[in-house]
């Protein structure tokens, strides 16, 4: 099957009929992976679905989409400083 033929005779016509803007076929792959990631699916699962040889490619491409990742990191930092006053310098200041 010729890729250009598929895009022009089938894919673009289907997009137009559905009232969607013209996108690359590969954009569907990114949308699929992004939706899986933002819905909480593991990056290992996304890697397997996409057929990536390395988890690193998946993490580099979709890791920022994991819900709450930044918030969880800040919460862990807060927990560390609350449980360990030395981490904030409070012990040194008290001496």
């Amino acid at each position: 099957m010729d890729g250009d033929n598929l895009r022009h005779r089938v894919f673009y016509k289907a997009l137009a009929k559905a009232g969607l803007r013209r996108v690359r076929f590969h954009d569907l792959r990114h949308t699929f992976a992004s939706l899986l990631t933002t819905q909480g699916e593991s990056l290992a699962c996304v890697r397997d679905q996409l057929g990536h040889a390395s988890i690193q490619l998946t993490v580099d491409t979709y890791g920022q989409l994991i819900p709450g990742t930044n918030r969880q990191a800040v919460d862990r930092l807060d927990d560390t400083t609350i449980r360990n006053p030395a981490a904030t310098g409070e012990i040194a200041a008290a001496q």
Side-chain angles (χ1 to χ4, degrees):
M1 182 176 284
D2 178 48
D4 286 332
N5 190 32
L6 173 67
R7 275 191 305 279
H8 293 285
R9 294 188 68 196
V10 179
F11 183 61
Y12 292 147
K13 286 182 182 181
L15 289 174
K17 190 170 186 170
L20 300 172
R21 67 181 175 88
R22 188 179 270 205
V23 295
R24 297 174 306 151
F25 202 79
H26 197 79
D27 293 334
L28 299 178
R29 178 180 168 89
H30 286 297
T31 299
F32 172 70
S34 297
L35 289 172
L36 284 177
T37 304
T38 57
Q39 292 177 10
E41 202 57 61
S42 72
L43 289 177
C45 174
V46 174
R47 176 205 57 208
D48 293 344
Q49 291 293 314
L50 297 178
H52 289 163
S54 164
I55 190 69
Q56 190 63 50
L57 175 60
T58 311
V59 170
D60 290 347
T61 308
Y62 302 105
Q64 79 280 2
L65 299 176
I66 298 173
T69 302
N70 293 335
R71 181 68 180 158
Q72 291 169 357
V74 172
D75 289 344
R76 284 192 305 274
L77 180 60
D78 285 344
D79 290 345
T80 300
T81 57
I82 290 169
R83 281 188 260 132
N84 183 5
T88 62
E90 291 177 28
I91 291 176
Q95 292 177 348

